[in-house]
């Protein structure tokens, strides 16, 4: 569809109406939240268990999200490397989550609750320097 600009008399293309819509599911947002939490060096996933028996290795941080329109609330259960300050690591994770979710989805993160479920001890033999 074309039209003429009344001020200049030049013809221009009219913008086509938008088609369809993009839906971003809650589980996708939850994965973004988990990856954003992983980006902070001092944070980590949780120990793995089988029938409540600890097994070697760590799983990812556990996340729960609620998306209401374009507003997100999130909860992250994670570990913090000992002896790092828990509040500072939690603040960094909140900032990372807010930034990554906004960048990748355009959603606004209203609240990020952090549950520090474990303190992860450094690997034996490694020196811890603060």
């Amino acid at each position: 569809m074309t039209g003429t600009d009344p001020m200049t008399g030049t013809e221009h293309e009219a913008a086509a109406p938008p088609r369809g819509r993009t839906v971003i599911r809650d589980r996708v947002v939850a994965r973004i939240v988990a990856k954003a939490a992983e980006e902070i060096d001092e944070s980590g996933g949780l120990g793995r268990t089988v029938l409540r028996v600890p097994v070697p290795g760590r799983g990812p941080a556990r996340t729960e999200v609620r998306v209401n329109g374009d507003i997100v609330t999130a909860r992250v259960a994670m570990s913090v490397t000992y002896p790092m300050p828990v509040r500072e690591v939690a603040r960094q994770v909140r900032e990372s989550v807010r930034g990554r979710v906004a960048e990748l989805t355009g959603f606004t993160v209203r609240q990020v609750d952090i549950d520090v479920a474990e303190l992860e001890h450094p690997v034996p033999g490694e020196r811890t320097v603060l």
Side-chain angles (χ1 to χ4, degrees), residues 11-66:
E11 287 197 19
H12 64 285
E13 279 286 317
R19 296 178 188 248
R21 65 182 204 159
T22 302
V23 177
I24 301 173
R25 302 224 182 267
D26 291 7
R27 71 176 184 208
V28 172
V29 177
R31 286 184 182 173
I32 292 170
V33 169
K35 288 292 185 185
E38 269 181 31
E39 291 175 355
I40 306 303
D41 290 334
E42 296 83 11
S43 72
L46 300 174
R48 298 178 351 173
T49 61
V50 174
L51 300 173
R52 298 183 189 238
V53 175
V55 295
R58 301 195 76 67
R62 282 194 312 263
T63 59
E64 289 178 34
V65 298
R66 284 196 179 157

Side-chain angles (χ1 to χ4, degrees), residues 1-4 10 12 17-18 26 35-38 43 51 64 81 83 90 92-93 102 105 108 111-112 118 122:
M1 184 169 166
T2 61
T4 305
T10 59
H12 64 285
D26 291 7
K35 288 292 185 185
E38 269 181 31
S43 72
L51 300 173
E64 289 178 34
T81 303
Q92 290 175 11
V93 169
T105 67
T108 301
Q111 180 176 332
V112 181
E118 297 176 3

Side-chain angles (χ1 to χ4, degrees), residues 25 37 55 57 79 95 104 111 127:
R25 302 224 182 267
V55 295
S79 64
E95 286 178 8
L104 295 173
Q111 180 176 332
R127 251 181 80 187

Side-chain angles (χ1 to χ4, degrees), residues 94-111:
R94 282 188 188 94
E95 286 178 8
S96 179
V97 167
R98 283 191 173 101
R100 296 300 274 164
V101 169
E103 175 187 355
L104 295 173
T105 67
F107 294 162
T108 301
V109 178
R110 179 186 328 157
Q111 180 176 332

